[in-house]
Amino acid sequence: MDHVTIAERGYANSLTERRPAVSADRLIAELVPPPRFAHARFATYIPDAAEPSQSAARDLLSERAAAWSGGGSGGKSGIRGLLRRSSSAAGGEGRGVYLDGGYGVGKTHLLASLWHETEGPKVYGTFVEYTNLVGALGFGPTVAHLATQRLVCIDEFELDDPGDTVLVSTLLTRLAEAGVQLAATSNTLPGQLGEGRFAAADFLREIQGLAARFTAVRIEGRDYRRRDGASAPDPLSDASVRGYADGGESRFVDDFDALVKHLSTLHPSRYGALLDGVEALGLLGVRPIEDQNAALRFVVFVDRLYDRSVPVLASGVAADRLFTPELLGGGYRKKYLRAVSRLISLTKAGAALVA
């Protein structure tokens, strides 16, 4: 998509034309469940009847929400006593709850439900959003702000480098010492964070320290986004993608390679703002990503698309061919598979718009 055509239309319908700025105040204000999960509640979670671990996790978190909100126990000591009983019943003494399981089993829905049904003050964000907050505010001010919360929810908990390991270990230690309750989701057990990505043995003490702060709850099951067995939708034609994007100023279209390059020029904390006001996104010439850094950035971008339920209309290759076999065979495999699952959902929504 050339810039002349975009300019002639009189409006910026290309994400590559945007370079949003994100203030620290906005980062703090957005520490709430994303729009897709704004109405998530335990009552709206639909567990797979064949997987009892799903309903068990829902019931445990519902109990924690009551405990952390007071639950009639009266005072902090009452809350902590009930929390200790809950932890023992769950098979561990961790302060917080750590939901472990494959992608698409409803972990984010459950975490958002916990946030909605626990009395505040409280914050909710992805792991990336918290590290972005530290970058914007500094470590001390971030700890000071989060330490005032009753509950801190961390979605998509992951450690991509040794620096993050030490940073998050220290952050969670400070919050736990301040009496903040912690809840997290991940595709990796806390004791295995970092495996396959850096010399985990060099940071074993920090990783074990993280694990000790959580009661790990395993959730089994299939990807609910693909329970019907459907595969990725067939790619659309360039003409179909452009034709739909031409229908309104809130419909954006970008050449895939150009967008991937543009993402490399923006801090991931800006990816959400990049999608402000975007009704649908067209991607022309989608092809497998070979570079790992580009792939990891695109994973974060897909998460922001999914958070905002932005349909994707794509030409090129299907969503399940986005990452090369080499990348899928590496240490970030689970991240890539989660992104593929989410992108399949979004491209199904996009294909339906032009069906």
Side-chain angles (χ1 to χ4, degrees):
M1 199 68 182
D2 62 70
H3 296 308
V4 174
T5 301
I6 293 168
E8 287 175 349
R9 287 177 177 164
Y11 57 86
N13 66 339
S14 168
L15 295 183
T16 59
E17 299 290 301
R18 290 182 154 191
R19 298 196 63 83
V22 179
S23 67
D25 288 342
R26 174 167 176 165
L27 292 176
I28 292 173
E30 290 183 343
L31 289 178
V32 297
R36 178 180 287 271
F37 297 99
H39 303 289
R41 300 293 186 276
F42 293 124
T44 62
Y45 178 71
I46 304 176
D48 187 338
E51 298 293 348
S53 62
Q54 295 186 10
S55 56
R58 176 200 59 196
D59 295 344
L60 173 63
L61 287 185
S62 179
E63 178 186 344
R64 291 296 177 94
W68 293 343
S69 295
S73 300
K76 267 193 173 181
S77 60
I79 295 173
R80 287 175 176 165
L82 182 55
L83 176 57
R84 283 194 294 272
R85 292 194 294 274
S86 299
S87 297
S88 297
E93 294 294 336
R95 178 184 295 276
V97 178
Y98 189 102
L99 299 180
D100 167 62
Y103 51 89
V105 295
K107 301 187 302 296
T108 298
H109 186 124
L110 288 174
L111 187 68
S113 299
L114 175 68
W115 187 91
H116 284 299
E117 300 196 23
T118 300
E119 293 179 6
K122 54 194 176 181
V123 292
Y124 178 109
T126 64
F127 179 85
V128 171
E129 287 172 324
Y130 287 112
T131 57
N132 291 342
L133 188 64
V134 172
L137 297 182
F139 184 79
T142 298
V143 172
H145 176 71
L146 296 181
T148 65
Q149 308 300 310
R150 179 193 296 266
L151 171 65
V152 170
C153 292
I154 310 168
D155 197 19
E156 301 161 14
F157 197 111
E158 190 56 278
L159 298 178
D160 292 340
D161 62 61
D164 281 347
T165 304
V166 177
L167 172 69
V168 174
S169 176
T170 305
L171 175 64
L172 296 186
T173 297
R174 299 284 183 84
L175 296 181
E177 290 172 349
V180 177
Q181 307 300 348
L182 305 170
T185 73
S186 179
N187 298 321
T188 305
L189 285 168
Q192 298 172 334
L193 289 166
E195 285 187 357
R197 293 179 282 289
F198 56 85
D202 295 339
F203 297 88
L204 187 59
R205 177 175 55 82
E206 285 81 0
I207 292 172
Q208 289 178 336
L210 289 176
R213 303 204 175 279
F214 294 98
T215 295
V217 179
R218 176 71 183 179
I219 305 179
E220 304 288 351
R222 298 170 294 166
D223 180 358
Y224 80 91
R225 289 180 286 265
R226 303 180 72 178
R227 283 182 188 173
D228 58 5
S231 58
D234 292 334
L236 301 171
S237 67
D238 285 358
S240 294
V241 175
R242 287 194 180 103
Y244 186 82
D246 283 343
E249 294 187 10
S250 58
R251 301 175 185 180
F252 284 60
V253 63
D254 282 278
D255 175 80
F256 180 73
D257 284 343
L259 179 59
V260 170
K261 182 178 180 180
H262 186 59
L263 293 177
S264 71
T265 70
L266 300 174
H267 191 277
S269 63
R270 300 185 181 188
Y271 291 178
L274 189 66
L275 296 169
D276 284 351
V278 177
E279 171 191 333
L281 175 63
L283 294 177
L284 300 170
V286 175
R287 64 184 181 88
I289 300 176
E290 299 177 353
D291 177 74
Q292 183 159 268
N293 289 327
L296 290 172
R297 284 191 292 266
F298 204 76
V299 165
V300 177
F301 180 68
V302 169
D303 287 340
R304 302 293 79 78
L305 285 168
Y306 188 77
D307 287 345
R308 290 156 176 77
S309 301
V310 178
V312 174
L313 299 87
S315 68
V317 303
D320 55 6
R321 294 179 55 196
L322 180 62
F323 304 108
T324 64
E326 290 75 18
L327 289 179
L328 291 176
Y332 297 101
R333 171 181 172 81
K334 292 180 179 179
K335 273 193 168 187
Y336 296 141
L337 291 178
R338 185 190 75 231
V340 167
S341 172
R342 290 182 164 188
L343 192 57
I344 286 175
S345 176
L346 297 176
T347 52
K348 284 182 178 179
L353 294 176
V354 297

